Amino acid sequence: NIQPPEKPLQAQEWNRLKESFQLPEAFEEVMFNNMIRCNSPIDVAKSLMTHVAKSNGDVAYHLLVKYLALCVQQGQTSEIRDVYDIMKTRFRTLDSGAYNLLIRGLCNSDEWRMALTLLEEVRKTMVPSRTNYESCIKAASRHQEMNLAFELYREMLAKDLVPTFDVLQALFDFSRGVEGAQLQKELFDILLYLRENQKYPHKTFMWSIKLWFESIPGGHWRGNLTNIKDSGQCPVCKHQLEDSDLTEEEYNKLRERIVRDVIHGTDTFRKTSPQEFEAFQTFVENRLPFDIVIDGLNVSHIKPRKMQCENLFDAVNCLAKENTRLLVLGRKHMLVNSSNWKREIMKEMQNKADFFFAENISEDDAFLLYATLQSGKHCKFVTRDFLRDHKACLSDNLTRHLFRKWQRGHQIAFSVEGKHINFLPALRYDCVVQTTGDTWHIPYKDAFEEKYSYQVPRKWLCIQQK
C-alpha cells in the first residue's frame, strides 16, 4: 500500500521508490491504482507516465487505461483527448473498458460531440454498453438536444439494454419547460414503459416527473402525492383505478399458458420428477378449491432467529381465519423431528391446513402456480419469491403482461415488525402506472431499490389536467 508522491518526481526518484517496493514488476500498476484512489494531481501521474515511456520505450495498454481513469475522474478533457490519440495510433482496437472511460470523460465536457463519434466507432465492433448510451443521452439532454437524446434512448431499448432510473430521470429533468408534442409523446412513452415493465420510480425520480408535468407550457397539469383507498379510488381526483382482476377469458388463457409453457415446459421437471408432479396434481384435484397457497419453506425463513416451524406456524395461524382453506407446500424433511421442525407443532398445523410434502430437491414454484391457478380467480398465494424465471418462460408479451397483473393482484406480501408478521392483503386495484388521458397515476417507492421487490408500493403521485 504505497503512498503516491505529492509532487512530480525525477527518473532516479521513481527508480528508488520502485526498488524499495516488494514487487518491483507490479510497481507502476499498484502506483496508478493508488493514485486513482487518492485522486493524485495529474502532473504527478504524468511524471510517472513519462518515466515509464523513457524506461520501456512505450507505455503498456493497461497503464494507459489507468492513467485515462484518473483523467476522467478529474475531468481533464485535453488529457483524455491526448490519451485517445496515443491509443488510436498504437492499438488497432480498444476494449470496452477504455471506450467506457473515453465516452464518459468526453460526455462530461464541452467536447461531448466527440463521444458520439466514439459511440459510432464502438458500434462497428460490438454492441455499445448501457453506460456508453446513457453517458451520450445525458450529454445530449444537458445541451438541450432532446431529439438526439431520444433517438439514442430508442436505439438503446432496441438493443434490449435496460435503462437506469438515472437516465430516465435526466430525460424528464432536461425536458422541463420545453414545448413540443413529439417530446411529450416520448416522455409519456417512458411512463408507459414503466407500466409495461412493472417498474416503480423512487421518490426523487417521481419528483422529476411531477415537476416536468407542471412545467409543460399551457398544459395546466397539477400533481399531488396521495395514498389510494382500499376501494381503488384516488382521494385527490376521485378517479377509480384499474381493477387488478383478470377477466374470465384472460384468466383461462393465462392458466392454459402457465400449464403449457411453465409446468409442462422445460423448467418444471428439472427439479422434480413427472411422477411426483402427477401425485401432486391428483392431491390438488381431490381437495380443490383452496383460498390461499403458501410456499412453506420460503415462509419458514421469515425470522432468521426463530425456529422454522414456529415461523410457519405463526403464518398459518395468521392466515387461517374463518373457514379459509389453506394449502401449504412443504418438504419431506419437515416431517423428521429436528431442532427446526418439531413434530407436535407440525401436527397442530396439519389440523389447520392441507400440506403437500415434496421431495427435498423439488422446485416449489410450479407447484405453487398450479395449485393457485387451479383453485380459481379468488385464490391468493404467499411467497417472498418474485417468480421471475417463470415469467421469462412465457412465450409472448400479452401472456407475460397477464402473468404480472395476476401476480400483483394475488401475491400476498408480508413484513415482520417486532414479534408480529403482517400480511398485506393483495390489492383490489392494479398497482402500475395508469392514465386516462387527462389523469396519470404513478405508484412510487420512498427509496431506490437495486433488487427487485415483489412488494408493491402504497404511495402514489396523482397528476390531473385542470
Side-chain angles (χ1 to χ4, degrees):
N1 190 15
I2 190 165
Q3 229 17 55
E6 289 176 17
K7 57 183 195 323
L9 302 184
Q10 297 301 318
Q12 60 271 35
E13 294 173 299
W14 279 122
N15 282 331
R16 267 203 302 277
L17 256 184
K18 184 172 178 172
E19 282 159 18
S20 68
F21 189 62
Q22 281 177 326
L23 282 169
E25 64 278 13
F27 171 75
E28 288 85 3
E29 188 169 354
V30 172
M31 182 55 81
F32 271 119
N33 285 340
N34 288 342
M35 284 180 178
I36 293 167
R37 190 172 50 78
C38 300
N39 202 20
S40 295
I42 213 78
D43 56 351
V44 175
K46 220 170 180 175
S47 83
L48 177 55
M49 289 282 280
T50 309
H51 172 63
V52 172
K54 282 181 179 164
S55 307
N56 305 344
D58 60 23
V59 181
Y61 183 87
H62 73 286
L63 294 181
L64 276 170
V65 171
K66 289 190 185 298
Y67 177 64
L68 176 61
L70 186 66
C71 296
V72 170
Q73 193 168 292
Q74 298 185 6
Q76 303 274 355
T77 311
S78 61
E79 286 298 315
I80 294 169
R81 287 203 63 154
D82 289 350
V83 174
Y84 174 60
D85 290 340
I86 293 166
M87 287 177 137
K88 280 306 286 176
T89 313
R90 285 193 41 213
F91 307 103
R92 276 178 50 203
T93 56
L94 307 185
D95 73 328
S96 58
Y99 275 122
N100 278 347
L101 284 167
L102 288 164
I103 289 173
R104 194 173 90 222
L106 292 165
C107 278
N108 289 328
S109 75
D110 292 339
E111 305 257 1
W112 68 277
R113 285 190 181 280
M114 190 181 162
L116 300 174
T117 312
L118 289 183
L119 185 68
E120 192 54 52
E121 212 172 280
V122 175
R123 279 192 195 105
K124 288 173 189 164
T125 54
M126 57 185 119
V127 174
S129 69
R130 170 166 79 180
T131 315
N132 294 158
Y133 275 112
E134 294 201 343
S135 297
C136 293
I137 292 167
K138 283 190 209 163
S141 304
R142 250 196 315 276
H143 293 86
Q144 287 299 297
E145 300 233 2
M146 298 315 295
N147 289 344
L148 172 60
F150 277 104
E151 195 183 310
L152 291 166
Y153 168 70
R154 282 193 302 274
E155 188 184 309
M156 178 183 166
L157 288 185
K159 290 189 170 21
D160 284 333
L161 295 167
V162 178
T164 60
F165 279 171
D166 193 36
V167 81
L168 299 181
Q169 187 179 336
L171 288 167
F172 278 94
D173 284 341
F174 291 110
S175 300
R176 217 174 283 170
V178 182
E179 282 193 71
Q182 182 56 29
L183 178 71
Q184 270 188 52
K185 185 192 173 303
E186 300 276 15
L187 289 157
F188 287 163
D189 281 349
I190 290 181
L191 296 176
L192 296 175
Y193 169 84
L194 296 179
R195 171 190 171 90
E196 198 52 44
N197 292 282
Q198 194 184 331
K199 288 180 180 287
Y200 303 118
H202 50 76
K203 208 173 197 168
T204 48
F205 180 17
M206 174 278 294
W207 211 251
S208 294
I209 295 169
K210 178 183 185 293
L211 292 174
W212 171 72
F213 266 103
E214 292 174 344
S215 79
I216 297 172
H220 308 295
W221 292 95
R222 276 289 156 267
N224 289 282
L225 309 190
T226 188
N227 293 318
I228 303 296
K229 294 177 180 170
D230 287 344
S231 65
Q233 191 189 53
C234 170
V236 180
C237 65
K238 306 292 181 267
H239 176 73
Q240 189 68 29
L241 293 194
E242 290 170 37
D243 203 310
S244 65
D245 261 356
L246 303 185
T247 64
E248 210 63 51
E249 191 187 338
E250 287 174 331
Y251 183 77
N252 290 333
K253 181 179 177 171
L254 177 67
R255 187 168 62 178
E256 280 164 30
R257 281 300 168 86
I258 295 263
V259 169
R260 191 191 77 190
D261 293 352
V262 177
I263 291 166
H264 294 315
T266 51
D267 76 333
T268 306
F269 299 125
R270 278 186 213 150
K271 304 238 176 77
T272 181
S273 67
Q275 293 79 3
E276 180 178 51
F277 200 77
E278 263 174 49
F280 175 68
Q281 285 175 297
T282 308
F283 174 92
V284 168
E285 298 306 325
N286 290 335
R287 289 166 177 77
L288 283 175
F290 296 103
D291 298 310
I292 301 174
V293 181
I294 301 168
D295 179 344
L297 200 60
N298 188 291
V299 171
S300 74
H301 289 98
I302 297 179
K303 295 187 203 165
R305 288 202 185 88
K306 204 166 177 183
M307 210 192 299
Q308 285 175 20
C309 63
E310 285 186 349
N311 279 332
L312 187 54
F313 186 65
D314 289 350
V316 166
N317 269 345
C318 211
L319 294 167
K321 300 288 181 327
E322 51 292 345
N323 301 327
T324 301
R325 297 210 52 225
L326 305 181
L327 168 61
V328 180
L329 301 173
R331 292 281 203 282
K332 288 193 170 160
H333 73 256
M334 295 177 176
L335 293 167
V336 179
N337 205 24
S338 67
S339 59
N340 258 318
W341 298 99
K342 295 287 176 228
R343 192 164 285 149
E344 59 278 14
I345 297 179
M346 290 303 293
K347 274 207 172 112
E348 200 175 332
M349 269 194 275
Q350 284 167 274
N351 294 329
K352 300 185 178 217
D354 280 298
F355 271 74
F356 181 84
F357 295 98
E359 292 297 336
N360 294 328
I361 53 158
S362 297
E363 178 63 79
D364 287 277
D365 292 355
F367 290 70
L368 183 84
L369 291 173
Y370 181 80
T372 310
L373 285 161
Q374 289 301 101
S375 290
K377 278 171 68 172
H378 73 288
C379 185
K380 307 285 193 278
F381 64 93
V382 182
T383 178
R384 281 188 295 186
D385 286 346
F386 185 56
L387 309 180
R388 267 204 146 138
D389 299 348
H390 301 296
K391 191 199 84 223
C393 293
L394 295 166
S395 53
D396 63 284
N397 263 337
L398 175 65
T399 316
R400 282 197 283 268
H401 168 74
L402 291 178
F403 178 71
R404 277 210 195 91
K405 184 172 180 178
W406 172 77
Q407 184 182 2
R408 287 192 297 268
H410 290 79
Q411 186 162 0
I412 295 175
F414 55 84
S415 61
V416 178
E417 285 172 26
K419 291 184 175 178
H420 299 287
I421 305 170
N422 289 332
F423 287 92
L424 304 168
L427 299 172
R428 285 168 53 189
Y429 54 89
D430 198 6
C431 194
V432 279
V433 172
Q434 313 186 8
T435 182
T436 59
D438 59 356
T439 68
W440 283 85
H441 288 89
I442 299 165
Y444 69 93
K445 297 208 163 184
D446 272 333
F448 172 69
E449 287 176 359
E450 186 63 57
K451 218 170 142 278
Y452 201 97
S453 159
Y454 66 86
Q455 290 190 327
V456 295
R458 302 279 159 153
K459 296 181 173 182
W460 289 72
L461 167 65
C462 161
I463 300 167
Q464 52 182 330
Q465 203 165 22
K466 295 287 191 186

